[in-house]
């Protein structure tokens, strides 16, 4: 009987199907990352970018109206009566540039709000000043820390904290799947604490991204990380090996692109601008900016965003607990039924003087199935960890 080649062919075909099935995840990641990052960043153009022209006379109003009309929707231009009002608008992020016309024109910006927005505004008003034959003086009313000259360090800190958080989801949700849900929840809180401390060390003293307010930054990093971990660990009950893709969609593809860390919503398509108003990455980035550079303006709103995502994580964990409880009851019912059937079978075998040797029969086959399932789970866990950490 020649079953060797057939068995080998069947084994190869099964392995190939297994590999092709798992290739779906990285291909979906490729599509998702391309759509998200290129859609958000490939062609930044201003729309309704708020700027002020300082002055109350006819010339100031005419300049503002001209810029508004010729900007084709790129700028939202208003006049303000004096420099103090313009500085206040920049300090509350109500505008992203203020132009003081005259023989010595000056442009006020707040680079801590967004360096890219400040650059766009500077380009516009440099051209305006040149048309009148005057050089433009640029004054930064809210400069960033020395360790973050581009103002984008907070965004890259967001990236580091996010990766530490969602990679921990794969470990706790996968390797810790046999643990009680309350233990996994405790591990999620502990992991978020460690990730947030690492983030705080990155921020200062390691890279000097901020020169004050480190305690508040750490607290927001913990709340942000804990929300991701709670949501991810809870989702693992339902998504299994698709959890990595799920958390990447939520906390990378949609999150990084809408955070405002590179381009603010005024320079992005409307979809990402809409997400910016309530997504957790934007809550972290804008919260840190508010806390460190803008005197806490709208800090409460950004903390509320982070807190709501954390509450969402608690809700998902609760749903996970209910689902796992139902599964345990179903498994217990099946095990009871199998046990009764096994006892009946052994009794019947004994009555006719038969039976299979110890270690074989139903018990042996059950043990073999258990070992196979354990091996399959170990393989899936290894693949999930590689996908989560390797991307």
């Amino acid at each position: 009987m020649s079953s060797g080649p057939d068995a080998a062919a069947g084994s190869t075909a099964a392995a190939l199907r297994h590999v092709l099935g798992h290739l779906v995840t990285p291909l979906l990641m490729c599509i998702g990352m391309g759509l998200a990052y290129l859609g958000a960043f490939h062609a930044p153009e201003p729309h309704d970018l708020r700027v002020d022209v300082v002055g109350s006379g006819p010339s100031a109003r005419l300049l503002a109206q001209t810029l508004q009309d010729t900007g084709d929707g790129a700028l939202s231009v208003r006049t303000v009566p004096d420099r103090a009002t313009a500085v206040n608008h920049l300090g509350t992020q109500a505008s992203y540039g203020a132009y003081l016309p005259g023989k010595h024109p000056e442009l006020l910006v707040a680079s801590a709000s967004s360096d890219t927005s400040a650059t766009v505004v500077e380009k516009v008003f440099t051209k305006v000043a040149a048309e009148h034959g005057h050089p433009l003086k640029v004054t930064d009313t809210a400069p960033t820390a020395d360790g973050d000259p581009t103002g984008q360090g907070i965004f890259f800190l967001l990236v580091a904290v996010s990766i530490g958080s969602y990679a921990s989801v794969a470990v706790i949700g996968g390797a810790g799947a046999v643990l009680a849900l309350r233990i996994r929840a405790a591990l999620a809180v502990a992991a978020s604490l460690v990730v947030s401390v690492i983030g705080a060390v990155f921020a200062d003293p390691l890279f000097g991204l901020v020169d004050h307010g480190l305690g508040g930054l750490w607290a927001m990093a913990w709340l942000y990380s804990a929300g991701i971990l709670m949501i991810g660990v809870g989702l693992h009950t339902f998504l299994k090996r698709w959890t990595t893709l799920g958390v990447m969609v939520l906390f990378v593809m949609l999150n990084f692109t809408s955070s405002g860390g590179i381009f603010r919503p005024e320079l992005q398509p409307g979809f990402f601008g809409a997400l910016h108003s309530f997504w957790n990455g934007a809550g972290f980035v804008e919260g840190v900016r508010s806390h460190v550079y803008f005197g806490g303006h709208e800090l409460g709103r950004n903390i509320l965003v982070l807190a709501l995502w954390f509450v969402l994580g608690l809700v998902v964990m609760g749903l996970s607990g209910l689902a796992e409880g139902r599964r345990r009851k179903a498994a217990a019912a099946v095990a009871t039924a199998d046990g009764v059937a096994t006892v009946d079978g052994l009794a019947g075998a004994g009555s006719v003087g038969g039976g299979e040797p110890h270690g074989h029969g139903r018990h042996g086959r059950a043990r073999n199935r258990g070992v196979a399932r354990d091996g399959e789970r170990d393989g899936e866990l290894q693949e999930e960890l590689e996908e989560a950490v390797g991307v």
Side-chain angles (χ1 to χ4, degrees):
M1 182 173 182
S2 147
S3 61
D6 291 340
S11 176
T12 299
L16 185 59
R17 285 194 300 270
H18 181 75
V19 171
L20 293 177
H22 280 77
L23 273 175
V24 173
T25 299
L27 293 176
L28 289 176
M29 288 179 179
C30 176
I31 294 171
M33 294 290 278
L35 290 174
Y37 274 73
L38 293 175
F41 297 148
H42 85 288
E45 290 189 4
H47 52 87
D48 296 320
L49 183 64
R50 173 65 191 272
V51 295
D52 294 334
V53 173
V54 179
S56 55
S59 61
R61 290 195 296 270
L62 177 60
L63 175 59
Q65 189 62 51
T66 301
L67 289 170
Q68 180 74 41
D69 294 342
T70 59
D72 195 24
L75 303 177
S76 175
V77 189
R78 301 291 185 272
T79 58
V80 295
D82 51 44
R83 181 191 180 98
T85 303
V87 171
N88 180 65
H89 283 180
L90 289 167
T92 59
Q93 296 180 288
S95 76
Y96 300 97
Y99 181 69
L100 289 76
K103 292 184 178 180
H104 303 285
E106 182 181 11
L107 176 65
L108 307 179
V109 297
S111 61
S113 178
S114 172
D115 185 69
T116 51
S117 296
T119 300
V120 169
V121 172
E122 183 176 346
K123 182 178 179 180
V124 169
F125 286 103
T126 297
K127 183 178 179 180
V128 171
E131 289 175 353
H132 292 84
H134 302 302
L136 180 66
K137 175 185 177 182
V138 179
T139 301
D140 193 345
T141 63
T144 56
D146 292 340
D148 187 17
T150 66
Q152 296 176 5
I154 295 173
F155 170 76
F156 292 110
L157 179 63
L158 170 78
V159 172
V161 173
S162 301
I163 290 176
S165 301
Y166 81 69
S168 298
V169 165
V171 176
I172 297 172
V178 296
L179 299 173
L181 185 63
R182 65 179 181 277
I183 298 178
R184 278 177 280 156
L187 287 172
V189 173
S192 65
L193 178 63
V194 174
V195 168
S196 64
V197 168
I198 293 172
V201 171
F202 284 160
D204 189 55
L206 193 57
F207 293 109
L209 302 180
V210 298
D211 49 20
H212 65 281
L214 184 61
L217 180 149
W218 165 79
M220 283 183 274
W222 174 80
L223 192 55
Y224 171 77
S225 176
I228 292 177
L229 274 150
M230 288 293 186
I231 292 172
V233 172
L235 285 178
H236 194 277
T237 299
F238 306 100
L239 301 182
K240 301 301 182 183
R241 75 179 185 88
W242 297 102
T243 305
T244 297
L245 179 61
V247 296
M248 284 198 70
V249 170
L250 290 174
F251 305 120
V252 176
M253 298 174 191
L254 300 179
N255 190 26
F256 295 171
T257 52
S258 65
S259 68
I262 302 296
F263 299 114
R264 286 191 57 81
E266 296 82 5
L267 297 180
Q268 292 186 291
F271 172 74
F272 298 100
L275 292 182
H276 181 84
S277 63
F278 64 92
W279 219 256
N280 60 341
F284 176 75
V285 169
E286 299 297 351
V288 172
R289 284 172 173 169
S290 172
H291 175 60
V292 176
Y293 298 118
F294 296 101
H297 177 71
E298 291 198 344
L299 177 60
R301 178 191 174 282
N302 292 305
I303 291 177
L304 176 62
V305 169
L306 295 175
L308 289 175
W309 278 86
F310 178 76
V311 171
L312 177 61
L314 295 179
V315 171
V316 175
M317 289 288 279
L319 295 175
S320 171
L322 293 175
E324 291 181 8
R326 287 195 295 268
R327 291 176 187 175
R328 283 194 297 270
K329 290 179 181 178
V334 171
T336 301
D338 287 347
V340 171
T342 299
V343 170
D344 290 345
L346 289 175
S351 66
V352 296
E356 296 179 80
H358 180 71
H360 298 281
R362 285 190 179 90
H363 291 297
R365 287 193 296 272
R367 281 195 297 270
N368 290 338
R369 286 195 298 269
V371 170
R373 284 195 297 268
D374 289 343
E376 183 179 349
R377 282 196 296 268
D378 288 343
E380 289 179 352
L381 172 59
Q382 182 65 28
E383 289 164 351
E384 184 177 345
L385 295 178
E386 289 173 355
E387 287 174 352
V389 180
V391 173

